[in-house]
Amino acid sequence: MEQSDDNGIKIYTISSSANFDHQPPSPPPMPPPDFTTTTGGRRRRAMANGVQKTLSKTSMLVNFLPTGTLLTFEMLLPSVYGKGECTTVTTLMINVLLGICTMSCFFFHFTDSFRGPDGKIYYGFVSPWGLKVFKSDIGVEVPDDERYKLGFTDFVHAMMSSMVFVAIAFSDHRVTNCLFPRHTKEMDEVMQSFPLMVGVVCSGLFLVFPNTRYGIGCLSA
């Protein structure tokens, strides 16, 4: 309120009706972000989550496998699975891929290698009579050691390697969805513990039967 005295000085007093509690209006709330995605995006995200779960559950099992077999399986499976439709042809191709990779895991554990005098590494197939190299005219004498002869340990390692590969392959939802389309939930529950169980059993067997082979897909001799 404005007042003036006789000397012409203006005096301002605070009005009792002044409202100092008034605040500017808050801005309207922002609309929630739209998290809707396309079908293709959801499918890619589901496949990525499935691969991540497979790797997390089976990382400890990879040490029991020939390196090339698992790599080949992971490279060929997306092309076999295609667009995610489990047709008769897709299921047949997945079965063939599983069979070939399982056989390779079994076969590679019967291979071994030696380093020749020239520094090269030569691979061969172990037999009850010794190492049979893949090339007969290498010009290098093949070692006639006892370790290059076929034994019971080789069959144990071959069976364990095949079991490990099956555990890893069946941990992938793309495989179980096509091979067991009506039991997806049951397979998910089984595969929560099956890879771990296989890893524990194989780890114990490898301690009892240590691996001395340096075959295809293994460390160099």
Side-chain angles (χ1 to χ4, degrees), residues 3-196:
Q3 298 178 356
S4 60
D5 57 5
D6 297 338
N7 298 325
I9 299 175
K10 295 182 178 180
I11 301 174
Y12 295 90
T13 61
I14 300 176
S15 175
S16 60
S17 62
N19 184 10
F20 290 96
D21 295 331
H22 177 71
Q23 296 180 357
S26 59
M30 297 294 294
D34 186 8
F35 291 104
T36 57
T37 56
T38 61
T39 304
R42 289 196 299 268
R43 181 177 299 172
R44 288 192 297 269
R45 192 162 57 248
M47 292 180 63
N49 291 335
V51 173
Q52 185 65 29
K53 287 182 179 180
T54 301
L55 295 178
S56 62
K57 291 187 295 185
T58 60
S59 58
M60 56 174 282
L61 303 179
V62 178
N63 298 327
F64 303 121
L65 293 179
T67 54
T69 302
L70 184 59
L71 181 61
T72 302
F73 177 77
E74 293 296 337
M75 289 178 59
L76 295 180
L77 183 60
S79 60
V80 172
Y81 192 68
K83 299 180 180 179
E85 299 178 358
C86 295
T87 62
T88 304
V89 177
T90 301
T91 304
L92 177 62
M93 293 178 66
I94 290 179
N95 282 315
V96 172
L97 181 61
L98 287 173
I100 293 176
C101 292
T102 304
M103 290 295 295
S104 66
C105 289
F106 189 87
F107 171 80
F108 287 156
H109 276 278
F110 293 97
T111 61
D112 207 341
S113 63
F114 70 95
R115 189 180 297 273
D118 53 358
K120 296 181 179 180
I121 298 176
Y122 298 92
Y123 292 91
F125 190 77
V126 294
S127 69
W129 305 276
L131 184 66
K132 303 298 182 182
V133 293
F134 297 135
K135 294 178 63 177
S136 58
D137 54 346
I138 59 176
V140 177
E141 183 179 358
V142 180
D144 191 16
D145 298 340
E146 190 71 21
R147 64 177 296 266
Y148 292 111
K149 293 184 179 181
L150 183 65
F152 174 74
T153 304
D154 298 318
F155 290 95
V156 175
H157 291 167
M159 291 298 299
M160 287 191 298
S161 180
S162 301
M163 289 176 56
V164 168
F165 174 76
V166 171
I168 293 179
F170 277 59
S171 296
D172 197 312
H173 74 283
R174 293 170 292 185
V175 176
T176 55
N177 287 349
C178 286
L179 299 186
F180 309 98
R182 299 180 181 178
H183 304 280
T184 304
K185 185 178 180 180
E186 291 82 356
M187 288 302 301
D188 288 341
E189 295 177 356
V190 171
M191 298 314 297
Q192 290 291 333
S193 57
F194 182 67
L196 180 61

